[in-house]
Amino acid sequence: AVLELLTSLVHASGLRGVGLSVADADVEDEDEVLEAVVTDAACERMVETARDAGAYVEPYPLADKKTGKKHRAGVIGLWRALIDKTKHEEAFDNVLLPWCIEWLCIMSSSTHRGLRHTGTEVAMALMVRLTELLVELEAEQLAKQRQQASQAGKKGGSGMAALVEKELVKLRTQVEALQELLQTLFKGVFIERYRDSCDEIRVCCLSGLGRAICLHEGVFLHDTYLKYLGWMLNDTAAPVRVTTVGQLHHVYKAHGDEHSDRLTNFTHRFEGRLVQMTRDVDTKVSVEAIKLINTLHELELLADKKKAVEDAMQVMRLNELSQLKALVPLVNKHMARAGGDGASPNTAKASKKGKKAAAAAATDQPLVQLAKLAWGSAGEVERLPEVCGRIVASMRPLTPALSDWPAYTDLLTGETLDEDNLRHLHCVLVHLMAASAVHTNEGAAAAAVAADGAGAQTPRKKARRAPTRKELEAHDEGAVALSSELGRSLGALLETFGAQADVLQPLLSLVRQLRLQSAATTLKGGVFGALLDQLEACFFKHNEPEAMRAHAAAWAELLTQPGAPALQEQARVRFKKLINKLVAILKPLGAYAARGKGGAFDFDEASVAMRRVAYLVSAYPEASSSLRTINALPERLLPLLHTRAGSEPGLAVCITAMLQLKTTVLTARVAEARLAAGAAHGGASVELDETSLQLRDEALTLLATALDAPLPPVAGVAAGCLSLLLGTVLPKVQPDSDDPVLQDAGDALLGWFSAALQAAAEGEPVGDLEE
């Protein structure tokens, strides 16, 4: 039976058609059969026989990527079940387990990788299961000793005492036998294979040793065994390092509280390497090392906690999400140590102590510490959105300071900060506040959606759990607190930082996160009007396209929010005044184009105003009703391109902006008509009103004319707008109509567009278009 069990191990290693047999033993005494058959020579002979017969299974079962895990679980499960079935008698007969372990030692030393790997896996699993059995027997032995002590001195208890003593002797014998078997496995398999050339075998050895140490501190929690885990921290293979650090983490969590004295020497010896591994080239190793350093910090086992935490936080520069999540506890410890309890700075009290005291108090705040870490991780303004976004996504749930909205505004609008790099610190704080605000509102929206769609499931996914009432209330409270604080302080933030280009995008993102309904209380009186004043002033301070686009998006968000009709109407009135102001700036250009004569004209200011109008209308198409006075500008300006294109670049900017503006207005009208007709997905024809038809004809004629513009940028924009309209608008406008005028217009337009593209491809003078 033992030989059949050992042969099954050989087959599980990928060697078919070979095995151990009693016939191979050339002995007369039955007690010497196992000694004669279970040998190194027999193992080598089986490998050679399988190789000559071509019976190798490649890849061997444990190495098979598809079935390897399942095979490993089956083999290990079989041997664990064997111990469970025989642990009362057969496991201690000095035959079954000793000879099985002997064969495992032989297999683990084989030159055949399949045998070596399988033997090591089973041996380490057996070592773990025997350690578990040893713990069980020692617990039983302790219970018997207590029973024996309780029986001492009782009358008539001699018989029971003798029975208990007999059971104790048996348990001591079994414990000693198990300890001897464990030492055989450790010295015969682990010592020989923990530096094997195969990564999987090394991982197996270290995993087995780590689990054994966690199970039995009396036998394994000594430097004699721990040092092997310490040595393997320098392994060249990342999976081995991950396993080693992970097993050490389990050891510290299992025994760090009660047996820290046994771990002190090992910790001080390898602390430097563990801290260094937080910056490992492999992300998984780095994450496990960060978690281990945090555990060591909590157990008070680090020799220099401050240096260890600071070294670990250098990994923030990599901006990897998994590393940032693992860093959260260490970052909180760092901020707590630097800033006390993390309350918001009280500028009123601080001012009484003097400006220096206020600056010192603010510098110690968790948000300031986190901002310094973020700036050190980013290193430049361009990387701040990405870095702050990842910091918030990973740390916000466990870092309350990131949602302390009054603290943000106190630091940004107060005078408590006294830093050499004050501008950078303010920039980081605005980015962090914007990222955290987006996360807060998205979390509230996601919670509401999850509550509505709870219980829905797909064939491969379980039903989604509905958020609890407490979770929904927490999300809602966070969103309301955010909007309330934004309503109170956003005007001051725009006034203070509105002119700074490096904080403009996150600042306007905060405007988009303002929920008027939630902030209605703090926007009473003239607060909202002052906010809109600052938003408009900020709009005129920046001429860059990205800045204009962001401002337009901020206005559109305020104009389209439901739930606050009074505030929304106030925003609409202010927005219409803004459009009228821009149109007024363009009136001189209209007068100049209407005269149709040459002469000097400053197109630069007009081009900037035209771009502002184009971005605003693109974000909020309803504003097109205020543009009647400049609708004829493109037709009048196009002829000027042939005479003044080279000397007036602002003229081309004006024309391209108007082309885009007309396309935006037309597509918005068609989209509105589709929605009204219930054809939002384009499944039905759309009946346009006379105004829309007039806009369509004007836009298509204008764009077709602009294809022949002498400047490639103008012709390129015209081609792009035309392709958009041909692909989306025309096919949806009465496709089955018998109107000959409509058919002629469509055919003529397609002909113009095809000819223009062909001429451009052949190098003909159609705007010298190259694409």
Side-chain angles (χ1 to χ4, degrees):
V2 173
L3 293 178
E4 289 181 359
L5 181 62
L6 302 184
T7 299
S8 69
L9 277 175
V10 176
H11 294 166
S13 304
L15 299 183
R16 306 297 186 186
V18 294
L20 299 174
S21 174
V22 177
D24 297 333
D26 189 13
V27 294
E28 296 181 359
D29 191 349
E30 293 182 357
D31 295 337
E32 299 177 356
V33 171
L34 290 175
E35 185 175 353
V37 175
V38 182
T39 61
D40 292 313
C43 183
E44 294 177 3
R45 184 169 60 252
M46 283 190 293
V47 172
E48 293 176 359
T49 301
R51 181 175 61 246
D52 295 341
Y56 277 179
V57 176
E58 292 294 343
Y60 60 90
L62 282 182
D64 193 307
K65 294 183 178 180
K66 293 183 178 180
T67 60
K69 291 183 179 180
K70 185 176 180 180
H71 179 80
R72 177 182 178 276
V75 173
I76 292 177
L78 171 65
W79 282 83
R80 290 184 64 88
L82 176 66
I83 299 301
D84 292 338
K85 297 294 183 181
T86 61
K87 64 182 181 180
H88 299 291
E89 296 295 338
E90 292 84 353
F92 302 99
D93 61 0
N94 291 326
V95 176
L96 177 62
L97 287 183
W99 283 108
C100 288
I101 291 175
E102 177 67 21
W103 182 244
L104 290 174
C105 293
I106 293 172
M107 286 180 63
S108 64
S109 301
S110 174
T111 56
H112 184 268
R113 181 173 171 178
L115 280 174
R116 196 167 71 250
H117 189 182
T118 305
T120 305
E121 284 279 4
V122 174
M124 291 297 99
L126 189 60
M127 186 171 77
V128 172
R129 183 64 189 94
L130 292 181
T131 303
E132 294 174 351
L133 181 57
L134 178 60
V135 172
E136 295 173 8
L137 292 180
E138 288 181 343
E140 187 178 350
Q141 182 180 2
L142 180 61
K144 292 295 181 183
Q145 289 174 348
R146 290 174 178 173
Q147 183 181 1
Q148 185 183 43
S150 65
Q151 294 292 333
K154 290 185 178 180
K155 294 182 179 181
S158 58
M160 179 62 70
L163 182 60
V164 171
E165 178 62 27
K166 183 178 179 180
E167 292 178 352
L168 275 174
V169 172
K170 180 181 178 181
L171 286 173
R172 292 192 192 100
T173 303
Q174 291 177 343
V175 167
E176 292 174 358
L178 283 179
Q179 291 176 342
E180 184 178 349
L181 292 175
L182 287 173
Q183 287 301 311
T184 303
L185 284 169
F186 178 77
K187 295 178 180 179
V189 179
F190 178 87
I191 295 296
E192 299 295 329
R193 296 273 66 83
Y194 82 98
R195 286 188 174 178
D196 193 275
S197 59
C198 175
D199 297 349
E200 291 84 354
I201 294 177
R202 301 201 299 278
V203 167
C204 165
C205 290
L206 296 168
S207 178
L209 178 61
R211 293 170 63 190
I213 296 174
C214 291
L215 288 169
H216 202 305
E217 71 280 359
V219 175
F220 292 105
L221 191 61
H222 303 287
D223 288 346
T224 306
Y225 301 96
L226 290 170
K227 65 182 180 182
Y228 294 101
L229 294 175
W231 291 342
M232 297 307 289
L233 293 172
N234 297 290
D235 196 274
T236 57
V240 178
R241 298 197 301 277
V242 169
T243 301
T244 305
V245 178
Q247 291 302 323
L248 280 174
H249 194 193
H250 292 315
V251 169
Y252 279 104
K253 291 180 70 175
H255 305 304
D257 289 329
E258 297 181 1
H259 305 286
S260 59
D261 54 325
R262 299 188 186 183
L263 293 165
T264 302
N265 183 55
F266 171 83
T267 305
H268 291 169
R269 181 179 177 185
F270 293 100
E271 178 180 334
R273 174 56 183 158
L274 291 173
V275 173
Q276 186 184 41
M277 292 181 76
T278 58
R279 304 185 299 277
D280 195 276
V281 294
D282 185 84
T283 303
K284 293 182 180 179
V285 177
S286 174
V287 169
E288 289 297 329
I290 292 170
K291 293 178 181 178
L292 178 55
I293 292 299
N294 180 59
T295 299
L296 294 176
H297 189 287
E298 293 175 349
L299 294 173
E300 302 290 339
L301 289 174
L302 292 172
D304 190 346
K305 292 193 293 185
K306 181 180 179 181
K307 184 177 184 303
V309 172
E310 291 176 351
D311 289 347
M313 287 194 301
Q314 292 181 19
V315 79
M316 289 184 69
R317 297 176 181 175
L318 301 177
N319 203 29
E320 175 63 37
L321 189 60
S322 58
Q323 293 173 330
L324 291 176
K325 287 183 178 180
L327 270 175
V328 172
L330 287 178
V331 171
N332 288 336
K333 290 180 176 64
H334 173 77
M335 293 190 299
R337 183 177 63 252
D341 59 2
S344 300
N346 190 326
T347 55
K349 293 182 180 179
S351 61
K352 296 179 181 180
K353 300 178 181 179
K355 191 172 182 180
K356 291 185 178 180
T363 302
D364 290 339
Q365 292 305 308
L367 270 178
V368 177
Q369 297 297 323
L370 192 58
K372 290 180 178 179
L373 292 174
W375 177 250
S377 176
E380 55 186 13
V381 175
E382 289 73 15
R383 291 195 63 209
L384 277 178
E386 178 189 1
V387 170
C388 292
R390 286 184 175 269
I391 287 176
V392 169
S394 59
M395 296 185 177
R396 185 177 173 277
L398 299 176
T399 309
L402 284 170
S403 301
D404 191 353
W405 313 117
Y408 283 111
T409 54
D410 287 345
L411 291 169
L412 289 169
T413 60
E415 298 181 356
T416 55
L417 291 176
D418 185 16
E419 293 284 329
D420 295 334
N421 56 347
L422 184 62
R423 183 179 177 86
H424 287 158
L425 199 57
H426 279 161
C427 185
V428 178
L429 285 172
V430 175
H431 276 87
L432 280 175
M433 186 178 184
S436 190
V438 171
H439 195 277
T440 297
N441 281 338
E442 287 180 350
V449 171
D452 294 337
Q457 64 183 49
T458 61
R460 294 189 177 183
K461 295 184 179 180
K462 296 181 179 179
R464 290 178 293 181
R465 179 184 68 85
T468 64
R469 182 177 179 180
K470 186 176 182 180
E471 291 173 339
L472 288 173
E473 290 177 351
H475 284 297
D476 291 340
E477 289 175 1
V480 170
L482 167 64
S483 291
S484 298
E485 183 59 33
L486 288 178
R488 184 182 300 108
S489 59
L490 199 50
L493 292 177
L494 286 169
E495 182 180 6
T496 305
F497 302 103
Q500 299 181 16
D502 51 358
V503 298
L504 181 63
Q505 293 294 336
L507 199 59
L508 293 175
S509 175
L510 287 174
V511 177
R512 294 196 297 272
Q513 300 310 314
L514 174 63
R515 300 295 176 259
L516 298 180
Q517 185 176 11
S518 301
T521 303
T522 55
L523 291 174
K524 286 182 177 180
V527 177
F528 190 47
L531 190 157
L532 295 177
D533 287 338
Q534 294 300 328
L535 184 59
E536 180 179 331
C538 183
F539 183 41
F540 284 104
K541 291 176 183 177
H542 301 274
N543 298 333
E544 303 81 11
E546 290 299 323
M548 294 182 189
R549 185 179 293 109
H551 275 98
W555 276 103
E557 185 67 31
L558 294 177
L559 293 167
T560 56
Q561 285 188 34
L567 294 175
Q568 194 175 23
E569 181 61 26
Q570 187 177 354
R572 285 199 183 99
V573 171
R574 181 59 60 86
F575 185 75
K576 186 175 181 180
K577 290 182 179 179
L578 174 60
I579 293 291
N580 291 337
K581 185 182 296 186
L582 292 170
V583 171
I585 296 175
L586 292 172
K587 281 185 178 180
L589 177 62
Y592 175 80
R595 290 196 303 268
K597 298 179 180 179
F601 187 84
D602 185 7
F603 287 97
D604 292 337
E605 182 181 0
S607 64
V608 173
M610 186 66 76
R611 283 192 298 173
R612 294 190 193 280
V613 172
Y615 281 118
L616 289 175
V617 175
S618 297
Y620 189 65
E622 293 182 19
S624 61
S625 59
S626 303
L627 305 179
R628 296 185 182 92
T629 58
I630 62 172
N631 279 337
L633 269 180
E635 292 84 351
R636 296 173 180 175
L637 292 177
L638 271 174
L640 297 178
L641 277 179
H642 296 276
T643 59
R644 308 196 58 175
S647 60
E648 296 291 351
L651 176 60
V653 174
C654 288
I655 294 175
T656 54
M658 283 301 298
L659 295 178
Q660 294 169 331
L661 186 60
K662 282 187 171 290
T663 304
T664 299
V665 172
L666 178 58
T667 52
R669 295 288 294 239
V670 174
E672 183 179 353
R674 287 180 188 166
L675 289 175
H681 299 289
S685 61
V686 178
E687 294 287 346
L688 295 179
D689 56 25
E690 292 184 2
T691 304
S692 298
L693 290 174
Q694 183 181 356
L695 287 174
R696 182 201 66 192
D697 295 340
E698 292 175 357
L700 295 178
T701 304
L702 176 65
L703 292 172
T705 305
L707 281 177
D708 199 31
L711 290 180
V714 176
V717 170
C721 294
L722 257 178
S723 63
L724 172 65
L725 296 180
L726 289 173
T728 59
V729 177
L730 273 182
K732 307 302 180 184
V733 181
Q734 298 179 339
D736 300 325
S737 175
D738 295 329
D739 186 354
V741 176
L742 179 62
Q743 291 180 353
D744 291 343
D747 294 340
L749 179 59
L750 290 173
W752 287 337
F753 190 58
S754 299
L757 291 182
Q758 183 177 358
E762 295 175 355
E764 297 295 331
V766 185
D768 295 328
L769 190 62
E770 298 179 357
E771 297 186 64

